[in-house]
Amino acid sequence: MAGIFISFEGIDGAGKSTHIERLARCFAAQGRAVTLSREPGGTDLAERLRSMLLNDPMDPITEALLAFAARRDHLTQVIVPALQRGEVVLCDRFTDATFAYQGGGRGVDWDMLQTLERWVQSAGPLVQPDLTLWFDLPTSVAAGRLLGARVPDKFESQPEAFFDAVSQGYARRCAEGAGRFARIDADQAADRVWDGVLDAVRRRGFLT
Ligand code: TYD
């Protein structure tokens, strides 16, 4: 596919959002069409599934299935068509979040998630991001950033031990898919974090 697919990952409070928007402006300034999206979400159906996933009590496998159902709709309706048009797709979270949150955090079987990943993301070849920016920072720092920021959702109100397990899930995914990942040290001033983002994107030749 002609486009570029970049996902942004990290525990809640890692500070991805400003960097996603800044990167979108950089690509647009170079004349690229950019699709900005998020998971769970990105379509009407997937946004409704997001609301259930973030608010309703359910067992961990149900969480994983809703995340993948939302992903399937998002992929077929938004991501794959945008990539086929040659656009840059910047996505706030993607499958690594399911491995980290439902796998690492909730304990859903890793093999089961890998099976779902293959089923859901193989409308032809397996659709994976070309680059995943993993905003890594200590759980305690992220918790401090979230304090008082807003009313916490189901995940944001989890104890620090949950986010330690989520971080371990990200680390495992990073080790398994090393070439696709750029680990960004997010425990730095925002401008330094941004330097890390730009460096990772440029090193792959996606921005000049
Ligand atoms: P987030 O992306 O942090 O958005 P906001 O900034 O609006 O809070 O919130 C999405 C939450 O959903 C986050 O806590 C991680 C969780 N999540 C999963 O548990 N599984 C998934 O597959 C995805 C994509 C997200």
Side-chain angles (χ1 to χ4, degrees), residues 74-156:
H74 190 208
L75 270 169
T76 56
Q77 303 299 315
V78 175
I79 295 177
V80 169
L83 292 174
Q84 285 171 338
R85 290 193 301 269
E87 295 182 13
V88 177
V89 175
L90 303 182
C91 196
D92 188 345
R93 301 190 184 282
F94 195 62
T95 308
D96 301 305
T98 315
F99 280 87
Y101 280 77
Q102 279 65 51
R106 300 282 203 222
V108 173
D109 182 69
W110 208 258
D111 290 344
M112 184 192 293
L113 296 177
Q114 284 173 326
T115 301
L116 288 168
E117 177 183 38
R118 276 196 304 277
W119 284 353
V120 166
Q121 289 162 234
S122 57
L126 185 71
V127 182
Q128 285 287 19
D130 299 297
L131 169 65
T132 295
L133 298 165
W134 172 31
F135 292 71
D136 188 23
L137 86 173
T139 302
S140 55
V141 178
R145 289 186 187 173
L146 282 180
L147 267 186
R150 57 187 164 186
V151 180
D153 63 36
K154 195 169 91 182
F155 295 104
E156 288 163 347

Side-chain angles (χ1 to χ4, degrees), residues 8-14 16-17 20 38-41 50 53-54 63-64 66-68 70-71 92-103 106 146 150-151 153-157 162-163 166 170:
F8 296 72
E9 297 283 357
I11 58 175
D12 290 273
K16 308 169 261 106
S17 309
I20 299 174
R38 68 172 184 180
E39 289 215 345
R50 175 191 179 92
L53 186 60
L54 267 57
E63 276 183 5
L66 286 187
F68 274 112
R71 183 160 303 127
D92 188 345
R93 301 190 184 282
F94 195 62
T95 308
D96 301 305
T98 315
F99 280 87
Y101 280 77
Q102 279 65 51
R106 300 282 203 222
L146 282 180
R150 57 187 164 186
V151 180
D153 63 36
K154 195 169 91 182
F155 295 104
E156 288 163 347
S157 53
F162 174 81
F163 288 104
V166 172
Y170 276 127

